[in-house]
Amino acid sequence: MKKRYPRLMLNAHLWIDVILLNLSFLAACFQRFGNWKYVLDQQYVILLLTANLVWIFVIYILQTYHFTRISFNFRNQVVNLGKAALLHASIIMGLLYLAHRGDDYSRQQFIVTYIVFAAMALVARAIIVLTLYMYRKAGYNYRNYAILGKGDLAEMIFDFYNERKELGYRYCGTFEFDESTEKLDMLEAIMGENTLDFVYCCLSDLSDAQIKSVIRLGERQKTHIRLVPDFRGFMTNMATIEYHDLMPIIQVNTKPFSSVNEKTLKRSFDLIISSTIMILGLPAFLLLMAAIKLSSPGPIFYRQKRCGQWGKMFEIYKFRSMVVNADKMGQHSQGSSDKRITKIGHFLRKSRLDELPQFYNVLRGDMSIVGPRPLYKYDVDMLMEAEPHDFQRLLTVKPGITSIGQIKVGYADSMAKNVERLKYDLQYLKEYSIFADIELILKTMQLMVSGRGQ
């Protein structure tokens, strides 16, 4: 028999957390004072009661226990717990500060309470999530659903739930719909016989009139109707939906970092990392500057016009790794075999230390730490001829000190290598996240340490 206890699950989470919070408080008191005398002290009893009331307030504000079958997973549970615990601790500290009672309580007891509570609450959530997954895979606590439509979209819906048995959705068939009254009666009979919880309507296969008819059936049979639009083909461009009054608008983001949050996060990350490296790396900068000056005549820094975001030219800074006037001896770098590279230049390129002055470009806003490499005009012309559309997509973001293409391919001295590096860098536009930036930075550091830079 099908059983569901949505309210029971919510209440169980609430009471488990309240019990664990109280146990943590009592355990922290005993650990701090060695006996139960302080637990029964009036001021600690008041603090415990306040902590319980504040917890109820916090979970109500943050909607900590509001989740769906899709969102109910361990990761989301950990995030929700972290937010609630952090806000709860902040409110308690604020109340103690405003009441001028902070010195009356043990800081150690306060800290241990939250450490123990977080540990026990995480274990409890892991047990609940694992138990529920196993329970649903065994065939209990399921929801019946059917699909109204045909073709690839219907198959995608079926595959989604079929591959995730732990969500507890039981497939009751696919139904193709037409205008006849018999089909409507047949669908209503299926809804009643199978006690369908959900009917998924593939909007690409149904007319407005058909959808309205199905919704009316759902109202009579207490079946939820879920409308599934066909977004395939442009969801890879990070399409988002927003509502203008009652009108849903699908926005296809044609360039990465188009949201204010993304821009702010990436720029803040760039400024923090670049400033830290420029300050802490000053001794290394000075040492490299002296080595370049002593190894070959000429300036320490090399400056060159490169193509930046939206095709805007800017001046890039690097430690000089070639002889003076190397540009007049050839347009393009030939990699490690290039005879124009100085003795110290080979080391600088292998270790990628010649790129360090580009952190100044990052601070100026010309570049980002991670992004497609800024190209010389010679390479720009080459790629505009070979892959004009893909190259112009790369120009929508700031160039970077390092990139997937730079790690995988390195210096590109031919059309084929330039195109290969371009393909790698296009992956970055599709898979961007702050964690992806950190991963690429760590891989670049690994190349620097191993001396495998190109």
Side-chain angles (χ1 to χ4, degrees):
M1 180 180 292
K2 178 171 56 172
K3 294 183 180 181
R4 4 174 152 145
Y5 306 100
R7 296 295 304 175
L8 178 61
M9 181 67 71
L10 188 153
N11 292 331
H13 266 282
L14 169 61
W15 286 109
I16 287 172
D17 282 345
V18 169
I19 292 171
L20 293 180
L21 180 62
N22 283 271
L23 289 176
S24 302
F25 185 91
L26 297 176
C29 279
F30 187 78
Q31 185 273 336
R32 173 64 182 84
F33 303 114
N35 57 62
W36 300 106
K37 180 180 68 174
Y38 285 91
V39 177
L40 301 176
D41 188 82
Q42 182 180 7
Q43 67 178 26
Y44 277 95
V45 171
I46 293 173
L47 180 61
L48 182 57
L49 291 174
T50 304
N52 280 276
L53 292 174
V54 171
W55 181 258
I56 301 299
F57 170 76
V58 165
I59 62 173
Y60 175 77
I61 294 298
L62 297 182
Q63 303 289 293
T64 304
Y65 307 125
H66 285 242
F67 40 76
T68 65
R69 289 192 171 220
I70 303 297
S71 65
F72 185 78
N73 56 61
F74 185 67
R75 179 182 177 278
N76 288 340
Q77 291 295 305
V78 171
V79 171
N80 290 347
L81 173 65
K83 290 178 180 178
L86 184 61
L87 181 57
H88 184 267
S90 301
I91 292 175
I92 294 294
M93 287 190 294
L95 292 174
L96 292 176
Y97 174 78
L98 293 174
H100 303 288
R101 298 292 301 276
D103 294 335
D104 296 341
Y105 296 93
S106 168
R107 291 177 175 81
Q108 180 181 331
Q109 187 272 342
F110 186 85
I111 294 171
V112 171
T113 295
Y114 284 101
I115 293 175
V116 174
F117 172 63
M120 292 196 299
L122 286 175
V123 172
R125 278 160 170 74
I127 293 173
I128 290 172
V129 170
L130 183 60
T131 302
L132 188 59
Y133 281 7
M134 293 174 64
Y135 187 64
R136 286 173 177 169
K137 281 190 174 183
Y140 301 96
N141 188 237
Y142 59 85
R143 298 291 180 91
N144 287 327
Y145 79 97
I147 301 171
L148 191 55
K150 57 185 177 180
D152 294 341
L153 191 58
E155 289 182 13
M156 286 173 62
I157 298 170
F158 170 77
D159 290 341
F160 178 84
Y161 291 114
N162 189 51
E163 294 168 3
R164 297 167 176 82
K165 301 291 187 184
E166 69 277 3
L167 295 179
Y169 281 78
R170 178 172 293 181
Y171 175 66
C172 294
T174 299
F175 192 82
E176 291 187 26
F177 193 61
D178 59 27
E179 301 288 351
S180 65
T181 305
E182 291 78 10
K183 287 286 187 178
L184 276 173
D185 294 338
M186 189 183 303
L187 177 59
E188 186 167 16
I190 291 174
M191 285 181 177
E193 291 171 6
N194 293 278
T195 320
L196 291 183
D197 296 287
F198 302 104
V199 170
Y200 289 82
C201 298
C202 301
L203 294 183
S204 57
D205 299 327
L206 302 171
S207 66
D208 291 346
Q210 290 171 338
I211 293 169
K212 290 178 181 178
S213 298
V214 174
I215 291 174
R216 284 196 290 269
L217 290 182
E219 291 172 344
R220 292 201 295 270
Q221 295 295 329
K222 296 182 181 180
T223 299
H224 295 287
I225 307 300
R226 291 181 170 178
L227 308 180
V228 186
D230 191 353
F231 285 168
R232 293 170 298 164
F234 55 85
M235 282 306 290
T236 54
N237 289 321
M238 300 169 288
T240 57
I241 300 178
E242 60 183 36
Y243 284 87
H244 296 186
D245 198 6
L246 295 178
M247 180 170 55
I249 302 296
I250 302 173
Q251 175 173 305
V252 181
N253 296 323
T254 54
K255 61 188 179 109
F257 321 128
S258 54
S259 73
V260 174
N261 289 339
E262 282 185 340
K263 286 181 180 178
T264 302
L265 179 62
K266 187 165 178 65
R267 183 59 180 156
S268 299
F269 179 78
D270 286 342
L271 289 175
I272 291 170
I273 299 298
S274 298
S275 300
T276 302
I277 290 176
M278 293 287 284
I279 294 171
L280 298 182
L282 183 60
F285 274 73
L286 295 175
L287 184 62
L288 290 172
M289 290 165 66
I292 294 168
K293 194 66 177 176
L294 294 173
S295 65
S296 66
I300 294 171
F301 297 103
Y302 172 72
R303 297 184 296 178
Q304 187 182 59
K305 291 289 185 181
R306 295 290 180 94
C307 183
Q309 188 178 25
W310 303 114
K312 181 181 177 181
M313 302 301 291
F314 71 99
E315 198 167 54
I316 195 174
Y317 291 85
K318 300 177 69 173
F319 281 131
R320 182 173 59 85
S321 60
M322 288 187 172
V323 297
V324 178
N325 296 325
D327 291 345
K328 297 178 180 178
M329 301 165 61
Q331 286 187 329
H332 209 284
S333 171
Q334 302 302 313
S336 58
S337 62
D338 200 317
K339 295 181 180 180
R340 298 171 295 173
I341 301 175
T342 63
K343 292 181 180 180
I344 189 68
H346 283 287
F347 167 72
L348 291 174
R349 289 187 168 216
K350 286 290 184 182
S351 62
R352 299 286 298 277
L353 292 174
D354 61 326
E355 313 282 2
L356 285 178
Q358 290 168 38
F359 285 104
Y360 174 67
N361 286 112
V362 176
L363 293 176
R364 288 181 52 178
D366 298 324
M367 296 176 62
S368 181
I369 294 177
V370 178
R373 288 295 295 155
L375 299 180
Y376 183 58
K377 187 178 183 302
Y378 176 83
D379 298 295
V380 171
D381 294 339
M382 186 186 297
L383 287 173
M384 282 299 292
E385 180 181 346
E387 299 286 346
H389 176 70
D390 285 344
F391 178 63
Q392 288 181 70
R393 285 181 60 200
L394 280 188
L395 294 180
T396 63
V397 299
K398 288 182 181 179
I401 297 175
T402 189
S403 69
I404 301 176
Q406 188 69 8
I407 292 172
K408 297 285 188 180
V409 180
Y411 288 103
D413 55 3
S414 65
M415 171 82 79
K417 280 194 172 184
N418 260 312
V419 172
E420 182 184 5
R421 188 169 66 178
L422 170 70
K423 298 301 182 184
Y424 278 116
D425 285 339
L426 284 172
Q427 295 177 15
Y428 178 71
L429 305 190
K430 300 177 183 178
E431 304 168 1
Y432 166 75
S433 72
I434 198 67
F435 299 106
D437 276 10
I438 294 172
E439 182 181 2
L440 287 172
I441 291 171
L442 293 176
K443 287 182 178 179
T444 303
M445 292 173 64
Q446 188 177 8
L447 283 177
M448 294 172 67
V449 172
S450 63
R452 293 186 287 113
Q454 302 181 51

